Amino acid sequence: MFKKITIASLILPLFLFVSISSAFASSFGAAGRFNVYSLGGIDVIRSNFQGVAGAGSNIVVEDFQVGDGLGSSQDYTLYAGGNIDATYGSNFNGVIEVEGYIDVSNIYVEGSFNAGTDFIGFDGTVMGNINAANSISVTNMFVAGDVTNDPFSATVNHLEIANQLINTSSDYSALVANSFYTSDFGGDILTFTGVSGLNIFDITAAEFLNSWGTIKFVGSEDASFLLNVSRSEEHT
């Protein structure tokens, strides 16, 4: 079972919800459906998001997996307010909703695509449907379902989600830390240990972003983790 983890910050554009408990989900409104959400874009290589992910802008991925932890390929698993470019062995479980174009190659999808503009696919397998409001170009790609040009209708409002996250983050950032984390091997391993209930941690963006090793969350199944991330300078 996933633990509930929230990254709360008015500056960092990334929010992590590694599991959804009803109390936390309701406080984030429409954003409570996500396990990972970026106010900007997502650009990752060799990463795995086991739940539902989304971004207000573009998503660019390579050797990427999403939705492994979902029970059905009919669930929505990835949302983009911009475009999606996916290459080299990316695997998707679920429905992918993109307000812009979808450009994918060498991918496997246990689900369906829904594009607001165009769909371009080269070399791969789609076990569900492909829908794009504009043009569809498919080369060397097996599609088990239907290929359609139906009008696009978004199921999420990315502006509403962004506002909800920013407002809720502001409220959470005022909470006083009641838990502590450990940093080992020069910051390569961060361990957040919690007990039953809400565990609040303060951490700087420098330490969080510079941890290239492992981030671990240890606690009981009813433990929730809230990370308030602060920074005074820019980090990439």
Side-chain angles (χ1 to χ4, degrees):
M1 178 179 292
F2 298 140
K3 293 292 187 292
K4 171 66 189 184
I5 304 160
T6 303
I7 307 295
S9 170
L10 289 177
I11 302 178
L12 283 178
L14 177 66
F15 294 80
L16 302 180
F17 313 85
V18 181
S19 72
I20 297 299
S21 64
S22 58
F24 267 113
S26 61
S27 68
F28 280 95
R33 76 178 66 193
F34 292 97
N35 295 96
V36 176
Y37 191 86
S38 171
L39 298 182
I42 293 175
D43 190 340
V44 294
I45 299 175
R46 294 184 294 277
S47 294
N48 184 348
F49 297 161
Q50 294 186 347
V52 180
S57 184
N58 300 326
I59 296 177
V60 180
V61 295
E62 178 180 333
D63 192 12
F64 172 75
Q65 298 184 39
V66 66
D68 290 354
L70 299 178
S72 170
S73 61
Q74 303 305 310
D75 294 331
Y76 282 82
T77 186
L78 189 63
Y79 300 80
N83 309 311
I84 282 186
D85 292 88
T87 57
Y88 299 113
S90 293
N91 294 286
F92 303 91
N93 179 45
V95 180
I96 295 91
E97 176 181 294
V98 183
E99 295 190 10
Y101 70 75
I102 297 173
D103 189 343
V104 293
S105 61
N106 190 21
I107 54 95
Y108 179 85
V109 179
E110 191 69 39
S112 300
F113 285 111
N114 189 17
T117 59
D118 306 314
F119 179 90
I120 303 171
F122 177 78
D123 192 16
T125 299
V126 179
M127 297 305 296
N129 307 317
I130 295 176
N131 180 71
N134 294 338
S135 66
I136 297 176
S137 174
V138 175
T139 305
N140 295 332
M141 178 172 283
F142 172 78
V143 182
D146 298 326
V147 178
T148 58
N149 280 122
D150 294 334
F152 176 83
S153 179
T155 62
V156 299
N157 184 321
H158 288 277
L159 179 59
E160 177 187 352
I161 289 169
N163 289 334
Q164 184 70 53
L165 288 172
I166 291 172
N167 293 335
T168 306
S169 173
S170 179
D171 293 337
Y172 280 163
S173 67
L175 298 178
V176 178
N178 61 7
S179 304
F180 302 92
Y181 63 92
T182 59
S183 175
D184 299 307
F185 301 101
D188 281 348
I189 299 179
L190 298 178
T191 302
F192 298 86
T193 302
V195 297
S196 176
L198 177 60
N199 300 270
I200 305 170
F201 302 84
D202 285 340
I203 185 171
T204 66
E207 186 164 18
F208 186 80
L209 295 177
N210 291 333
S211 176
W212 293 102
T214 301
I215 298 177
K216 299 191 296 184
F217 295 87
V218 180
S220 59
E221 290 187 357
D222 59 350
S224 296
F225 296 76
L226 169 63
L227 275 61
N228 278 321
V229 183
S230 62
R231 72 180 183 185
S232 58
E233 66 278 347
E234 293 297 320
H235 294 274
T236 57

